[in-house]
Amino acid sequence: MDWLPTLWFILIAVLWTGYLFLEGFDLGVGMQIGLGRGGEKRKRVLLNTIGPVWDGNEVWLLTAGGATFAAFPYWYASLFSALYIPLTLVLVALIFRAVAIEYRGKAQNPTTRGFWDLALGWGSLIAAFGVGAMLALTTLGLPLNENGDRVGGPFAWFTWHAVLGGVAVVAFSWIHSVAFLRLKTEGPIRIRAGQQFVRWMPWCVLPLMLWSTAVVLADTSLAAWTVLALALVAAFFAWFSARAGHEGRSFIALGIMLVGAVAAIFTAAFPVVIPSTINSAFDLTVYNASSSPYTLKLMSIVAAFGVPLVLAYQSWSYWVFRKRISEKHIPEDHLVTSAVK
């Protein structure tokens, strides 16, 4: 069963791609609510666009982390121990973000609501930056010794490629949310989103393309270069489609660009899961970091049933809540008296 580690490397790449695509736009919407401008009704419209789906999107993050832990325990151990501080910050950011989504609507004064808006905005931004930094480090390298342990202090991970990956996911999440709002809203929000997409899309996808190119440059794989070229073509198509007013095409093309860029990164990185910046002999690969064949076989059987089920119920939820939302659908603020005293 020598092919099982490769299969699970591909599955984990798919899980991370799914997370960046689905969670990307609701992280971006969170940034727009908490750190952007606009009145209360606009923020409530934005929140309602992701309200039915945001928690389901986070399943992809949990599944990607869990799959890495089960299929590649040495990859998981080296990565998470080396990034203990930033990943703790990501966890705290995700907690504040989730609580803010649930609590801002229960706030009875603008000050409290403003606090939850900031928690949502900064929680979304920090989570996006941390995930991007982690993925960049697992593809561009960490200072690992022969035992897979980090060499250096607690901030040895803070390198240029960590910053590049963090900025790439933050910028992509923001522009992805703009494309999403063009599909999910009506009125001024939709018009403004269209203007923002055309103006900022090339700059927002640039860090992701630079990250992908940095990984592919270290590889001679024709497949990686081909997929990267397809991602670049998709990016141009997304921009030209947006200029022509084709919202659905630009959203799909932007998603294809993401899939292509991430596929190029993982294709170029294979079979290395974490390169060591100290010595390439210390690299962790899909072969020396994987679980036993029995474990991978059992996981494959479970995934064969679980993954289609997750895809089915998430597709159904997006279909149910596919209608556009505008400010006219948002009622005026009003206090609700609690039934429990």
Side-chain angles (χ1 to χ4, degrees):
M1 295 268 181
D2 292 340
W3 54 272
L4 282 177
T6 301
L7 172 64
W8 274 96
F9 178 82
I10 295 172
L11 288 176
I12 289 171
V14 170
L15 289 171
W16 279 117
T17 305
Y19 173 75
L20 291 174
F21 181 83
L22 295 173
E23 184 82 337
F25 63 74
D26 69 48
L27 287 172
V29 170
M31 294 179 213
Q32 293 202 46
I33 295 172
L35 305 177
R37 298 178 180 177
E40 174 60 17
K41 276 201 171 183
R42 176 182 178 274
K43 292 181 179 181
R44 289 168 66 189
V45 169
L46 267 56
L47 190 58
N48 275 273
T49 63
I50 63 171
V53 297
W54 71 269
D55 48 354
N57 293 341
E58 288 193 349
V59 169
W60 291 79
L61 175 63
L62 299 175
T63 307
T68 304
F69 171 76
F72 300 99
Y74 296 105
W75 179 8
Y76 180 94
S78 295
L79 183 65
F80 278 66
S81 61
L83 304 180
Y84 195 86
I85 291 177
L87 290 181
T88 299
L89 293 176
V90 168
L91 178 60
V92 173
L94 288 172
I95 292 172
F96 268 90
R97 178 175 178 270
V99 174
I101 290 174
E102 298 294 338
Y103 275 39
R104 82 171 303 278
K106 300 174 175 62
Q108 296 187 6
N109 60 75
T111 302
T112 306
R113 191 177 296 140
F115 169 79
W116 290 121
D117 285 346
L118 287 175
L120 175 56
W122 283 106
S124 299
L125 190 148
I126 292 171
F129 185 90
V131 168
M134 179 190 69
L135 291 176
L137 289 166
T138 199
T139 53
L140 289 169
L142 276 166
L144 302 180
N145 61 20
E146 65 275 14
N147 296 320
D149 297 325
R150 183 197 65 222
V151 175
F155 294 97
W157 59 271
F158 194 74
T159 58
W160 68 267
H161 37 83
V163 175
L164 175 63
V167 171
V169 173
V170 169
F172 176 81
S173 296
W174 185 83
I175 200 64
H176 196 33
S177 72
V178 172
F180 176 72
L181 291 175
R182 296 179 73 206
L183 291 176
K184 284 292 294 179
T185 62
E186 294 177 338
I189 298 176
R190 179 183 179 186
I191 295 171
R192 186 179 180 216
Q195 296 168 344
Q196 289 178 328
F197 190 90
V198 173
R199 181 177 182 182
W200 295 108
M201 182 264 179
W203 303 104
C204 287
V205 302
L206 181 61
L208 177 59
M209 297 303 295
L210 290 175
W211 169 19
S212 186
T213 302
V215 179
V216 174
L217 279 174
D219 184 71
T220 57
S221 168
L222 178 61
W225 281 106
T226 302
V227 177
L228 181 59
L230 291 175
L232 185 60
V233 171
F236 278 107
F237 185 79
W239 189 75
F240 283 111
S241 296
R243 287 196 64 186
H246 300 301
E247 298 167 344
R249 291 181 190 176
S250 62
F251 182 80
I252 293 172
L254 187 65
I256 293 173
M257 186 228 69
L258 170 71
V259 173
V262 176
I265 289 170
F266 279 95
T267 300
F270 182 83
V272 177
V273 294
I274 304 182
S276 171
T277 56
I278 297 175
N279 190 326
S280 60
F282 304 153
D283 290 351
L284 291 178
T285 69
V286 295
Y287 306 112
N288 64 21
S290 65
S291 294
S292 66
Y294 177 79
T295 300
L296 296 178
K297 182 180 178 181
L298 184 61
M299 290 175 60
S300 300
I301 295 172
V302 174
F305 294 95
V307 172
L309 182 62
V310 170
L311 292 174
Y313 82 70
Q314 279 210 292
S315 299
W316 177 79
S317 66
Y318 277 97
W319 175 256
V320 170
F321 296 102
R322 66 188 182 279
K323 299 294 185 179
R324 291 182 181 270
I325 304 172
S326 69
E327 293 187 7
K328 68 182 181 182
H329 298 123
I330 304 299
E332 298 295 333
D333 283 348
H334 59 281
L335 293 177
V336 177
T337 304
S338 175
V340 180
K341 295 183 179 180

